[in-house]
Amino acid sequence: MNKKMKILTYGCQMNVADSERMAGQLQTIGYEYVDDFDAADLILINTCCVRESAEDRVYGKIGELKHLKRQNPKLIIGITGCMAQKEGESLIRRAPHIDFVLGTGRTSELIRVVQSLEEVPSHIVDTSDVNGSEGESFSQYPAFSPAQNVFAEFVPIMYGCNNFCTYCIVPYVRGRERSRLPEDIINEIKAAVKSGIVEVTLLGQNVNSYGKDHKLANFAELLTEVDKIEGLRRLRFMTSHPKDLSDELIAAIRTGKHICEHIHLPVQYGSDPILKKMNRVYTVDQYRRLVQRIRQNIPNVSLTTDLIVGFPGETDDTFNETLDFIREIKFDAAYTFIYSKRSGTPAAEFDNQVDDAIKHERLKKLMDVQNEISLAINEQLDSQVFEVLVEGASKTDETIYTGRTRTNKLVLFKHSEEQPGDFINVKVTQPQTWLLKGERV
Ligand code: SAH
Ligand code: SF4
Ligand code: F3S
């Protein structure tokens, strides 16, 4: 009988991609995927620590697993990902029902660790090399997604981050930038497309600095090469750091046939003194001019962003400047976060930390302003027809299916015979803040 694995993924798309590649590794030693925790012989929790709330969720989940281990002492529980890297063996001290903790750079050891625990139960902690070789180890194994009808895939093109924004834990738990080889990426995508994948999203903490280490190709060149892969219908990428989004890249997006007109371009804040303290290394005006260049060159591009409120030193003035800035730029959508102190990062030690109540008040205000903008932009799309890649049934209603436009807008429509992975045309009939309702034409 096959052994069963359950994998739970927190955090960003990078973790989703890593989970699929870990599942691919475990398949080669006889594990098949189950949805049900109770049926699993192996449970992996792939974790995130970007904000305290993300960590709290993981601790909660780890606590819930304790009774499963009591029921089935042979169950293997492993913690991977960013929080595993950050917390290491303290996770096992806190929750001894965990069998292993594997850091972000040590996932190449996953098979060895699991096999050793199958033979002799013990505790294994390995966070020894944050700059380890995820890329190379993952390249040998095809990604495996538990979802049915898989038509889209996340493909990491680089690992780590060199930017050290002062609020951010990622460089500490993901190590320095390492770019995968262009031929490995291209071969992986060719194989994925052969197996039915029609949409690929290239992933990195800052894709614009792809290739600065090996110098075999820069990001614009890589994107152009991937765009040529026969059978690929949509090509996406994230995340772009505003400090080095080049004109060459803008040109590549404009001319690429399958490269989608959507750029996720986190601005984080709209006031220079705070941007400086965040170490984002661009000014509000540089960002503004970058957006102008993008919009002049890529017609109908959609722009999304990330924003943080409550960074140390924020005042009513810097916050109002930020509100004005988002009113000016008019992002299609924004992911808004309350600043969360991450110990070990410079900003955690900064003076003038902002009071919690004020943070929440400002978050609400920011979301209200952005929601109004998102709705106004979407209302302009009323009655327009978009090519939509069908994703599947919506979470709440099986008769309603969802899909996305090239600009990454979520579209809802009544299901007839569409299948996930189909391309259909949908006319927008009811634009809303976060999605477009429409009908197939
Ligand atoms: N590399 C990407 C994203 C990294 S994390 C980038 O540079 O954009 C995703 C988002 O989480 C960030 O864009 C930021 O807005 C947010 N974030 C990171 N650290 C945070 C913290 N300490 N508190 C609140 N939000 C944070
Ligand atoms: Fe974090 Fe900044 Fe790196 Fe993004 S670019 S991962 S926000 S340090
Ligand atoms: Fe979280 Fe790690 Fe991604 S901290 S946001 S899972 S890189």
Side-chain angles (χ1 to χ4, degrees), residues 166-408:
T166 53
Y167 50 80
C168 185
I169 193 80
V170 171
Y172 305 89
V173 294
R174 286 282 181 171
R176 293 300 72 69
E177 274 172 19
R178 286 101 62 207
S179 303
R180 290 178 64 194
L181 298 177
E183 62 179 84
D184 284 353
I185 297 166
I186 302 271
N187 288 338
E188 182 180 328
I189 297 174
K190 278 185 178 159
V193 170
K194 225 179 232 154
S195 76
I197 297 288
V198 291
E199 176 181 289
V200 159
T201 306
L202 306 180
L203 295 181
Q205 296 303 339
N206 174 18
V207 290
N208 303 332
S209 57
Y210 173 80
K212 285 191 177 155
D213 42 4
H214 57 45
K215 302 210 163 52
L216 294 169
N218 66 24
F219 183 57
E221 290 161 349
L222 178 73
L223 206 54
T224 304
E225 276 313 299
V226 174
D227 186 50
K228 291 181 193 151
I229 293 174
E230 197 143 345
L232 184 66
R233 298 278 303 266
R234 282 185 176 183
L235 178 53
R236 302 186 182 281
F237 56 93
M238 67 190 312
T239 297
S240 292
H241 195 303
K243 77 181 162 73
D244 43 17
L245 198 156
S246 65
D247 286 337
E248 186 190 359
L249 178 60
I250 294 176
I253 300 168
R254 185 187 56 226
T255 46
K257 219 173 144 209
H258 309 289
I259 305 172
C260 293
E261 299 76 24
H262 166 232
I263 303 180
H264 184 61
L265 193 66
V267 66
Q268 311 296 0
Y269 209 66
S271 170
D272 285 342
I274 300 283
L275 282 175
K276 188 149 193 222
K277 285 176 75 183
M278 287 177 160
N279 191 32
R280 289 295 288 182
V281 299
Y282 50 81
T283 62
V284 165
D285 197 51
Q286 283 168 332
Y287 188 94
R288 170 186 292 125
R289 280 185 279 131
L290 173 60
V291 168
Q292 283 164 359
R293 285 203 326 267
I294 292 171
R295 286 188 166 145
Q296 275 160 13
N297 284 286
I298 310 169
N300 298 321
V301 66
S302 79
L303 285 180
T304 55
T305 203
D306 292 347
L307 290 158
I308 297 176
V309 294
F311 186 80
E314 177 182 70
T315 62
D316 280 337
D317 283 349
T318 66
F319 179 65
N320 286 328
E321 219 186 301
T322 300
L323 291 181
D324 286 343
F325 191 61
I326 67 163
R327 286 190 190 105
E328 173 195 330
I329 298 289
K330 296 192 172 60
F331 293 105
D332 288 78
Y335 300 88
T336 48
F337 306 107
I338 286 183
Y339 168 69
S340 169
K341 234 180 180 181
R342 306 284 66 205
S343 66
T345 64
E349 309 298 323
F350 286 176
D351 294 336
N352 303 317
Q353 299 281 336
V354 178
D355 183 78
D356 248 5
I358 297 181
K359 283 181 180 168
H360 282 94
E361 215 174 275
R362 287 183 180 151
L363 179 72
K364 167 129 194 0
K365 224 182 226 168
L366 181 65
M367 289 168 77
D368 286 347
V369 170
Q370 179 56 43
N371 286 347
E372 222 173 273
I373 296 166
S374 297
L375 180 61
I377 291 175
N378 284 349
E379 276 173 344
Q380 288 170 5
L381 307 178
D382 198 11
S383 303
Q384 291 188 30
V385 176
F386 292 96
E387 180 198 71
V388 167
L389 172 53
V390 177
E391 288 177 344
S394 79
K395 283 196 187 99
T396 48
D397 183 349
E398 278 192 8
T399 68
I400 302 293
Y401 264 43
T402 66
R404 279 180 195 270
T405 64
R406 283 175 65 107
T407 51
N408 209 34

Side-chain angles (χ1 to χ4, degrees), residues 24-37:
Q25 288 186 45
L26 293 167
Q27 260 190 331
T28 66
I29 56 166
Y31 281 90
E32 66 181 42
Y33 195 84
V34 283
D35 249 340
D36 191 3
F37 282 96

Side-chain angles (χ1 to χ4, degrees), residues 10-15 46-51 54 81-83 104 169-170 173-174 205:
Y10 294 88
C12 63
Q13 289 89 341
M14 190 61 90
N15 265 13
N46 196 12
T47 60
C48 172
C49 58
V50 77
R51 283 169 289 275
C82 296
M83 204 173 145
T104 52
I169 193 80
V170 171
V173 294
R174 286 282 181 171
Q205 296 303 339

